Amino acid sequence: MEQFQGRDSTPRAGSIDKSRVLEIKPLRCLVPIFPSQPNFTSFNTPQGAAPFVCSSPSGPFPPGATSFFPFFGAPGSQGTSGHNPQTTPGQTPPFPFNTPVSDAVPITSFRASSPPRAGATSYHHSRAANGDTTSSGRVTRRSAKSQLQDGVAGEAGNGNAEGERTRFRKKGSMDPEVDDILTSFNIIEFNSARQNDGDKDSVEYVLLIFDLLRRKIAQIEDSKVSSPGVIKRPDLRAGTFLMTKNIRTNATKRMGSVPGVEVGDIFFFRFELCLVGLHSPSMAGIDYLRVNLQEEPVAVSVVSSGGYEDDVEDGNVLIYSGQGGNLNIDQKLERGNLALKNGLDRGNEVRVIRGVKDLASLGKVYVYDGLYKVEESWVEKGRSGCNVFKFKLIRLRGQPEAFTTWKLIQQWKDGISSRIGVILPDLTSGAESLPVSLVNEVDNEKGPEYFTYFSTIKYSKEANSADSSSGCACAGGCLPGNLNCYCIQKNGGYLPYVANGVVANAGQLIYECGPSCLCPPNCKNRVSQGGLKVRFEVFKTKDKGWGLRSWDPIRGGAYICEYAGEAIDNSKVEALHSDMDDYLFDATRSCPPILPSDSNEAPKLPFPLAISAKNIGNVARFMNHSCSPNVIWQPVLRTNNRESDLHVAFHAVRHIPPMTELTYDYGMVPPEEMGRQKKLCLCGSSKCRGFFH
């Protein structure tokens, strides 16, 4: 075959010779040509050679060059003008390749590494790739790849989370909408000490900021017209933004307990675990520690989310499946699997977070179940036929009960076992859709003083208010973003509630749909009208009389109940105070702020309201006072063209685990009434004022 060497490769018309071929060399054999400039590089560039030019895929381009698919837009739109056809000179091309590197959050680290403190017993380094860092804290290519692999294999059912998180990493602190929300919170900045080593106050503060921000983002996103297939993840958006702002705590990765996080604490979002330092990766199930590349990784925490073949029958034993592999590939002894195996050899403690089904949201609740140790490891065939690593973890003794309590409550619900100390199976006598148990495990008292159960407020006459209206005309229900809805207009252009009936704005007056509205009973703007949403029990406390708690987990901002009873005429309120009515709710008192930076003011009411639950009432009458409450009340005005229906609704301040007493602050009386008789406070909080009125 004749070779073509040094000739013109363009054949004459009509004389194509298919026997001729070019002598082709691989690209790796070619020598790159660079511009010859003083002090530019050590490469030798032949004199007279054309300069080497490298352009961004989105331009600008040298003469004779143009963009190519997919960087210029749709196929078929490529032009020859030498610039991006979708932009004009001076405009930024609509593609993220021109995003400055400084604006992006690193893939595997949200904080630069810092040297360990003198005498520190915990490891302190960059939170990169589950602990894969060099001794200088620089993220290696292997560690970045490991993080992506761990993220994919770490938890089933969150396939869209990593892409969503990457999108917000690119935006980072350049999100003005979120920045404005955060600025309105008037955040107290954390110093480096509280960022690295937290306490109970800092953990609660970070989680509160995250949840308030997430709820506000969800409210705004719900009001927008979304594109088909777009999955809204306000939790990822809020969490990533707080990471970029360093609004976090316990950034020092460590073995053992995490300061400020208690056994039994619950989390509804994986990012909450990251923000408080309980579990660093947002998707991978195994978090581990590696000081440098020469040292073997050691596991510090695992999340048993139920995505694998984990055996959770015994509340103190966890059979944990390893990570990695798929239907056709065996798991390997690397990264998290190797870290757990090393934990077995070293006998170190491992934090265990268990995922439990949340029936209310059809999602999961993550329960911190305390410290475990790896007792055994082996390899077995999984359901797919591939090898899977198995690790047996045993819970350390002497810790408070957590996951076992959840299992016991489920047995009560399923009728497998009975609740000990039950006096009445249903205190409401059927007035509520869910029964409320009356329980006493302390003494022989058979119940509280007699009262009639009533599920809402009872007005003796119409209340005068200029805020009554004709209601909305949303026959199919009020929808976010519908500015024609009168009730949405009253709420500032947004629905006051987001998914699962969670209130978006804490402490503000809520305008709900009422009797004069055309929307159905299941309208999203009738949250406080649907009765109880969780299973409660009224129980006898050791020193505060009767109290209220829930069998179910309650997420922050969720509706709990309203304060039911008789609306009292303002002229009679003072007389009831003098009679020491323990069941009097006075809505004119100033409400303690949710955030320490908020003003200590009472919610704005259309008219003064006081409610007595002494003779008639519901479960709210049993909620005790606390100076560090987990419940807050908000006024709710239901639209009615005949009268003003003002109600008092209680919402969770933060996530509340099952069997935790529900408490709220009874409020502060005006200065002129400070001489009123005080009652001894027994809340036991570190912030206890010692008394309440």
Side-chain angles (χ1 to χ4, degrees), residues 304-352:
S304 175
S305 60
Y308 294 105
E309 303 163 21
D310 299 339
D311 180 10
V312 292
E313 289 301 321
D314 189 333
N316 294 311
V317 177
L318 173 64
I319 307 299
Y320 189 83
S321 298
Q323 62 181 190
N326 54 37
L327 295 177
N328 301 312
I329 301 177
D330 295 337
Q331 291 183 355
K332 298 180 180 179
L333 189 61
E334 60 183 13
R335 300 193 302 278
N337 297 336
L338 179 59
L340 276 176
K341 178 63 169 59
N342 291 334
L344 169 63
D345 299 335
R346 299 190 182 192
N348 64 280
E349 299 170 339
V350 179
R351 298 185 296 271
V352 169

Short mmCIF file of all heavy atoms in Angstrom, two decimals, residues 304-352:
data_model
loop_
_atom_site.label_atom_id
_atom_site.label_comp_id
_atom_site.label_asym_id
_atom_site.label_seq_id
_atom_site.Cartn_x
_atom_site.Cartn_y
_atom_site.Cartn_z
N SER A 304 -27.22 4.32 60.53
CA SER A 304 -27.98 3.16 60.07
C SER A 304 -29.32 3.66 59.58
O SER A 304 -30.27 3.82 60.35
CB SER A 304 -28.16 2.16 61.22
OG SER A 304 -28.99 1.09 60.81
N SER A 305 -29.38 3.93 58.27
CA SER A 305 -30.57 4.57 57.72
C SER A 305 -31.59 3.60 57.17
O SER A 305 -32.64 4.01 56.69
CB SER A 305 -30.15 5.53 56.59
OG SER A 305 -29.48 4.81 55.58
N GLY A 306 -31.31 2.31 57.22
CA GLY A 306 -32.26 1.34 56.71
C GLY A 306 -32.14 1.09 55.23
O GLY A 306 -32.94 0.35 54.66
N GLY A 307 -31.15 1.70 54.57
CA GLY A 307 -30.99 1.50 53.14
C GLY A 307 -30.33 0.19 52.78
O GLY A 307 -30.31 -0.22 51.64
N TYR A 308 -29.74 -0.47 53.77
CA TYR A 308 -29.07 -1.74 53.55
C TYR A 308 -29.79 -2.85 54.31
O TYR A 308 -30.87 -2.65 54.85
CB TYR A 308 -27.60 -1.65 53.99
CG TYR A 308 -26.78 -0.71 53.14
CD1 TYR A 308 -26.41 0.55 53.62
CD2 TYR A 308 -26.39 -1.07 51.86
CE1 TYR A 308 -25.66 1.41 52.84
CE2 TYR A 308 -25.64 -0.21 51.07
CZ TYR A 308 -25.28 1.03 51.57
OH TYR A 308 -24.54 1.89 50.80
N GLU A 309 -29.14 -4.00 54.42
CA GLU A 309 -29.75 -5.16 55.06
C GLU A 309 -29.39 -5.19 56.55
O GLU A 309 -28.94 -6.19 57.08
CB GLU A 309 -29.28 -6.43 54.34
CG GLU A 309 -29.59 -6.40 52.85
CD GLU A 309 -28.78 -7.44 52.08
OE1 GLU A 309 -28.31 -8.41 52.70
OE2 GLU A 309 -28.63 -7.28 50.86
N ASP A 310 -29.56 -4.06 57.22
CA ASP A 310 -29.19 -3.97 58.64
C ASP A 310 -30.24 -4.66 59.51
O ASP A 310 -31.43 -4.53 59.29
CB ASP A 310 -29.06 -2.51 59.07
CG ASP A 310 -27.97 -1.79 58.28
OD1 ASP A 310 -27.10 -2.49 57.74
OD2 ASP A 310 -28.01 -0.55 58.22
N ASP A 311 -29.77 -5.35 60.54
CA ASP A 311 -30.65 -6.03 61.47
C ASP A 311 -30.77 -5.17 62.72
O ASP A 311 -29.79 -4.93 63.41
CB ASP A 311 -30.06 -7.41 61.81
CG ASP A 311 -30.93 -8.19 62.78
OD1 ASP A 311 -32.07 -7.75 63.04
OD2 ASP A 311 -30.48 -9.23 63.26
N VAL A 312 -31.96 -4.67 63.00
CA VAL A 312 -32.14 -3.78 64.15
C VAL A 312 -33.18 -4.35 65.12
O VAL A 312 -33.88 -3.62 65.79
CB VAL A 312 -32.58 -2.37 63.67
CG1 VAL A 312 -31.46 -1.70 62.92
CG2 VAL A 312 -33.83 -2.43 62.81
N GLU A 313 -33.28 -5.67 65.21
CA GLU A 313 -34.27 -6.28 66.10
C GLU A 313 -33.92 -6.02 67.56
O GLU A 313 -34.78 -5.74 68.37
CB GLU A 313 -34.36 -7.78 65.82
CG GLU A 313 -35.03 -8.12 64.49
CD GLU A 313 -36.44 -7.59 64.41
OE1 GLU A 313 -37.17 -7.64 65.43
OE2 GLU A 313 -36.83 -7.12 63.34
N ASP A 314 -32.65 -6.14 67.92
CA ASP A 314 -32.23 -5.89 69.28
C ASP A 314 -31.86 -4.43 69.41
O ASP A 314 -31.00 -3.92 68.69
CB ASP A 314 -31.02 -6.78 69.62
CG ASP A 314 -30.67 -6.74 71.10
OD1 ASP A 314 -30.96 -5.71 71.74
OD2 ASP A 314 -30.10 -7.71 71.60
N GLY A 315 -32.47 -3.73 70.37
CA GLY A 315 -32.23 -2.30 70.51
C GLY A 315 -30.83 -1.94 70.93
O GLY A 315 -30.41 -0.79 70.78
N ASN A 316 -30.06 -2.89 71.49
CA ASN A 316 -28.69 -2.62 71.94
C ASN A 316 -27.64 -3.26 71.04
O ASN A 316 -26.45 -3.21 71.36
CB ASN A 316 -28.50 -3.12 73.38
CG ASN A 316 -29.36 -2.33 74.35
OD1 ASN A 316 -29.37 -1.11 74.34
ND2 ASN A 316 -30.11 -3.04 75.19
N VAL A 317 -28.07 -3.86 69.96
CA VAL A 317 -27.15 -4.50 69.01
C VAL A 317 -27.49 -4.01 67.61
O VAL A 317 -28.66 -3.91 67.25
CB VAL A 317 -27.25 -6.04 69.07
CG1 VAL A 317 -26.34 -6.68 68.03
CG2 VAL A 317 -26.92 -6.55 70.46
N LEU A 318 -26.46 -3.70 66.86
CA LEU A 318 -26.66 -3.27 65.47
C LEU A 318 -25.77 -4.10 64.56
O LEU A 318 -24.55 -4.16 64.74
CB LEU A 318 -26.31 -1.78 65.32
CG LEU A 318 -26.29 -1.24 63.88
CD1 LEU A 318 -27.69 -1.32 63.27
CD2 LEU A 318 -25.77 0.18 63.84
N ILE A 319 -26.38 -4.78 63.61
CA ILE A 319 -25.64 -5.47 62.56
C ILE A 319 -25.59 -4.52 61.37
O ILE A 319 -26.60 -4.31 60.70
CB ILE A 319 -26.29 -6.81 62.17
CG1 ILE A 319 -26.50 -7.68 63.41
CG2 ILE A 319 -25.42 -7.53 61.14
CD1 ILE A 319 -25.23 -8.03 64.15
N TYR A 320 -24.43 -3.96 61.14
CA TYR A 320 -24.29 -2.88 60.16
C TYR A 320 -23.65 -3.40 58.88
O TYR A 320 -22.61 -4.06 58.90
CB TYR A 320 -23.44 -1.75 60.74
CG TYR A 320 -23.42 -0.50 59.90
CD1 TYR A 320 -24.44 0.44 59.99
CD2 TYR A 320 -22.39 -0.25 59.01
CE1 TYR A 320 -24.44 1.59 59.23
CE2 TYR A 320 -22.37 0.90 58.24
CZ TYR A 320 -23.40 1.81 58.34
OH TYR A 320 -23.39 2.95 57.58
N SER A 321 -24.29 -3.11 57.74
CA SER A 321 -23.76 -3.50 56.44
C SER A 321 -22.77 -2.45 55.96
O SER A 321 -22.98 -1.25 56.13
CB SER A 321 -24.88 -3.64 55.41
OG SER A 321 -25.78 -4.66 55.79
N GLY A 322 -21.68 -2.91 55.34
CA GLY A 322 -20.65 -2.01 54.85
C GLY A 322 -21.13 -1.18 53.67
O GLY A 322 -22.25 -1.29 53.21
N GLN A 323 -20.23 -0.34 53.18
CA GLN A 323 -20.56 0.57 52.09
C GLN A 323 -19.77 0.21 50.84
O GLN A 323 -18.79 -0.51 50.89
CB GLN A 323 -20.26 2.02 52.49
CG GLN A 323 -18.81 2.28 52.78
CD GLN A 323 -18.55 3.70 53.21
OE1 GLN A 323 -17.40 4.11 53.30
NE2 GLN A 323 -19.57 4.47 53.48
N GLY A 324 -20.23 0.75 49.71
CA GLY A 324 -19.59 0.47 48.44
C GLY A 324 -20.20 -0.75 47.77
O GLY A 324 -21.06 -1.44 48.32
N GLY A 325 -19.72 -1.02 46.55
CA GLY A 325 -20.27 -2.15 45.80
C GLY A 325 -21.65 -1.85 45.27
O GLY A 325 -22.23 -0.80 45.54
N ASN A 326 -22.20 -2.77 44.50
CA ASN A 326 -23.56 -2.64 43.98
C ASN A 326 -24.07 -4.03 43.64
O ASN A 326 -23.54 -5.03 44.15
CB ASN A 326 -23.60 -1.70 42.78
CG ASN A 326 -22.62 -2.10 41.69
OD1 ASN A 326 -22.41 -3.29 41.44
ND2 ASN A 326 -22.02 -1.11 41.03
N LEU A 327 -25.05 -4.09 42.77
CA LEU A 327 -25.67 -5.38 42.46
C LEU A 327 -24.70 -6.35 41.81
O LEU A 327 -24.91 -7.56 41.87
CB LEU A 327 -26.88 -5.16 41.54
CG LEU A 327 -28.05 -4.38 42.15
CD1 LEU A 327 -29.14 -4.17 41.11
CD2 LEU A 327 -28.61 -5.10 43.36
N ASN A 328 -23.63 -5.85 41.16
CA ASN A 328 -22.73 -6.72 40.42
C ASN A 328 -21.30 -6.69 40.94
O ASN A 328 -20.43 -7.36 40.38
CB ASN A 328 -22.73 -6.33 38.94
CG ASN A 328 -24.11 -6.42 38.31
OD1 ASN A 328 -24.79 -7.43 38.48
ND2 ASN A 328 -24.53 -5.37 37.62
N ILE A 329 -21.01 -5.91 41.98
CA ILE A 329 -19.65 -5.74 42.45
C ILE A 329 -19.58 -6.00 43.95
O ILE A 329 -20.44 -5.53 44.71
CB ILE A 329 -19.12 -4.32 42.15
CG1 ILE A 329 -19.17 -4.05 40.64
CG2 ILE A 329 -17.71 -4.13 42.68
CD1 ILE A 329 -18.74 -2.64 40.27
N ASP A 330 -18.57 -6.75 44.36
CA ASP A 330 -18.36 -7.00 45.78
C ASP A 330 -17.89 -5.73 46.48
O ASP A 330 -17.23 -4.88 45.87
CB ASP A 330 -17.30 -8.10 45.97
CG ASP A 330 -17.75 -9.45 45.44
OD1 ASP A 330 -18.97 -9.66 45.35
OD2 ASP A 330 -16.88 -10.27 45.11
N GLN A 331 -18.24 -5.61 47.75
CA GLN A 331 -17.70 -4.52 48.55
C GLN A 331 -16.22 -4.77 48.81
O GLN A 331 -15.75 -5.91 48.84
CB GLN A 331 -18.46 -4.39 49.88
CG GLN A 331 -19.88 -3.91 49.73
CD GLN A 331 -20.57 -3.71 51.07
OE1 GLN A 331 -20.02 -4.04 52.12
NE2 GLN A 331 -21.78 -3.18 51.05
N LYS A 332 -15.47 -3.69 49.00
CA LYS A 332 -14.04 -3.77 49.23
C LYS A 332 -13.70 -3.29 50.63
O LYS A 332 -14.40 -2.46 51.21
CB LYS A 332 -13.29 -2.92 48.19
CG LYS A 332 -13.49 -3.38 46.76
CD LYS A 332 -12.72 -2.48 45.79
CE LYS A 332 -12.92 -2.93 44.35
NZ LYS A 332 -12.19 -2.06 43.40
N LEU A 333 -12.59 -3.79 51.14
CA LEU A 333 -12.13 -3.38 52.46
C LEU A 333 -11.32 -2.09 52.30
O LEU A 333 -10.09 -2.09 52.31
CB LEU A 333 -11.29 -4.48 53.11
CG LEU A 333 -10.92 -4.25 54.58
CD1 LEU A 333 -12.17 -4.17 55.43
CD2 LEU A 333 -10.00 -5.36 55.08
N GLU A 334 -12.04 -0.98 52.16
CA GLU A 334 -11.43 0.32 51.98
C GLU A 334 -12.34 1.38 52.58
O GLU A 334 -13.49 1.14 52.90
CB GLU A 334 -11.18 0.62 50.49
CG GLU A 334 -12.45 0.61 49.66
CD GLU A 334 -12.19 0.83 48.18
OE1 GLU A 334 -11.02 0.73 47.76
OE2 GLU A 334 -13.17 1.08 47.44
N ARG A 335 -11.78 2.58 52.76
CA ARG A 335 -12.50 3.73 53.28
C ARG A 335 -13.30 3.38 54.55
O ARG A 335 -12.73 2.97 55.53
CB ARG A 335 -13.39 4.35 52.20
CG ARG A 335 -12.60 4.83 50.99
CD ARG A 335 -13.44 5.70 50.07
NE ARG A 335 -14.64 5.07 49.58
CZ ARG A 335 -14.69 4.24 48.55
NH1 ARG A 335 -13.58 3.92 47.91
NH2 ARG A 335 -15.82 3.72 48.16
N GLY A 336 -14.61 3.54 54.51
CA GLY A 336 -15.41 3.33 55.71
C GLY A 336 -15.36 1.90 56.21
O GLY A 336 -15.33 1.66 57.42
N ASN A 337 -15.36 0.93 55.29
CA ASN A 337 -15.30 -0.47 55.71
C ASN A 337 -13.98 -0.76 56.44
O ASN A 337 -13.96 -1.44 57.47
CB ASN A 337 -15.43 -1.39 54.50
CG ASN A 337 -16.78 -1.24 53.80
OD1 ASN A 337 -17.75 -0.82 54.42
ND2 ASN A 337 -16.84 -1.57 52.52
N LEU A 338 -12.89 -0.24 55.90
CA LEU A 338 -11.60 -0.41 56.55
C LEU A 338 -11.58 0.30 57.90
O LEU A 338 -11.00 -0.21 58.87
CB LEU A 338 -10.49 0.12 55.65
CG LEU A 338 -9.06 0.03 56.19
CD1 LEU A 338 -8.68 -1.41 56.49
CD2 LEU A 338 -8.07 0.66 55.21
N ALA A 339 -12.22 1.45 57.97
CA ALA A 339 -12.26 2.21 59.22
C ALA A 339 -13.00 1.45 60.31
O ALA A 339 -12.59 1.44 61.48
CB ALA A 339 -12.90 3.57 58.98
N LEU A 340 -14.12 0.79 59.97
CA LEU A 340 -14.85 -0.01 60.95
C LEU A 340 -14.05 -1.24 61.36
O LEU A 340 -14.06 -1.64 62.53
CB LEU A 340 -16.21 -0.42 60.39
CG LEU A 340 -17.35 0.59 60.52
CD1 LEU A 340 -18.60 0.09 59.83
CD2 LEU A 340 -17.65 0.90 61.99
N LYS A 341 -13.36 -1.84 60.41
CA LYS A 341 -12.50 -2.99 60.74
C LYS A 341 -11.39 -2.57 61.69
O LYS A 341 -11.07 -3.28 62.65
CB LYS A 341 -11.91 -3.57 59.45
CG LYS A 341 -10.96 -4.74 59.66
CD LYS A 341 -11.67 -5.92 60.29
CE LYS A 341 -10.80 -7.18 60.24
NZ LYS A 341 -9.51 -6.99 60.95
N ASN A 342 -10.82 -1.39 61.45
CA ASN A 342 -9.79 -0.90 62.36
C ASN A 342 -10.37 -0.57 63.73
O ASN A 342 -9.69 -0.70 64.75
CB ASN A 342 -9.13 0.35 61.77
CG ASN A 342 -8.29 0.03 60.55
OD1 ASN A 342 -7.80 -1.08 60.39
ND2 ASN A 342 -8.14 1.01 59.66
N GLY A 343 -11.63 -0.15 63.75
CA GLY A 343 -12.29 0.09 65.03
C GLY A 343 -12.41 -1.18 65.85
O GLY A 343 -12.33 -1.16 67.08
N LEU A 344 -12.63 -2.30 65.17
CA LEU A 344 -12.67 -3.59 65.86
C LEU A 344 -11.31 -3.91 66.47
O LEU A 344 -11.21 -4.36 67.62
CB LEU A 344 -13.09 -4.68 64.88
CG LEU A 344 -12.94 -6.13 65.34
CD1 LEU A 344 -13.85 -6.39 66.54
CD2 LEU A 344 -13.27 -7.09 64.21
N ASP A 345 -10.25 -3.67 65.71
CA ASP A 345 -8.90 -4.00 66.19
C ASP A 345 -8.47 -3.08 67.32
O ASP A 345 -7.79 -3.51 68.26
CB ASP A 345 -7.91 -3.90 65.02
CG ASP A 345 -8.23 -4.89 63.90
OD1 ASP A 345 -8.87 -5.92 64.20
OD2 ASP A 345 -7.87 -4.62 62.74
N ARG A 346 -8.86 -1.79 67.24
CA ARG A 346 -8.42 -0.82 68.25
C ARG A 346 -9.38 -0.73 69.44
O ARG A 346 -9.01 -0.23 70.50
CB ARG A 346 -8.28 0.56 67.61
CG ARG A 346 -7.25 0.61 66.50
CD ARG A 346 -6.99 2.04 66.09
NE ARG A 346 -6.04 2.13 64.99
CZ ARG A 346 -5.46 3.26 64.59
NH1 ARG A 346 -5.76 4.39 65.20
NH2 ARG A 346 -4.61 3.26 63.58
N GLY A 347 -10.63 -1.16 69.26
CA GLY A 347 -11.60 -1.11 70.35
C GLY A 347 -12.08 0.28 70.68
O GLY A 347 -12.47 0.54 71.83
N ASN A 348 -12.07 1.20 69.69
CA ASN A 348 -12.52 2.56 69.97
C ASN A 348 -14.04 2.66 69.91
O ASN A 348 -14.72 1.82 69.34
CB ASN A 348 -11.89 3.54 68.97
CG ASN A 348 -12.35 3.29 67.54
OD1 ASN A 348 -11.83 2.39 66.88
ND2 ASN A 348 -13.30 4.06 67.06
N GLU A 349 -14.57 3.74 70.52
CA GLU A 349 -16.01 3.97 70.55
C GLU A 349 -16.48 4.56 69.23
O GLU A 349 -15.79 5.39 68.61
CB GLU A 349 -16.36 4.91 71.70
CG GLU A 349 -15.99 4.35 73.07
CD GLU A 349 -16.12 5.37 74.17
OE1 GLU A 349 -16.10 6.58 73.83
OE2 GLU A 349 -16.24 4.99 75.34
N VAL A 350 -17.68 4.17 68.82
CA VAL A 350 -18.28 4.65 67.57
C VAL A 350 -19.67 5.20 67.88
O VAL A 350 -20.48 4.52 68.53
CB VAL A 350 -18.39 3.52 66.52
CG1 VAL A 350 -19.05 4.03 65.24
CG2 VAL A 350 -17.01 2.94 66.22
N ARG A 351 -19.94 6.42 67.43
CA ARG A 351 -21.28 6.99 67.60
C ARG A 351 -22.23 6.33 66.60
O ARG A 351 -21.90 6.15 65.43
CB ARG A 351 -21.25 8.50 67.36
CG ARG A 351 -20.38 9.26 68.34
CD ARG A 351 -20.49 10.76 68.12
NE ARG A 351 -20.02 11.20 66.82
CZ ARG A 351 -18.76 11.54 66.56
NH1 ARG A 351 -17.84 11.47 67.51
NH2 ARG A 351 -18.42 11.94 65.35
N VAL A 352 -23.44 6.01 67.07
CA VAL A 352 -24.44 5.37 66.21
C VAL A 352 -25.67 6.25 66.12
O VAL A 352 -26.25 6.65 67.14
CB VAL A 352 -24.83 3.97 66.74
CG1 VAL A 352 -26.05 3.43 65.99
CG2 VAL A 352 -23.65 3.01 66.59
#
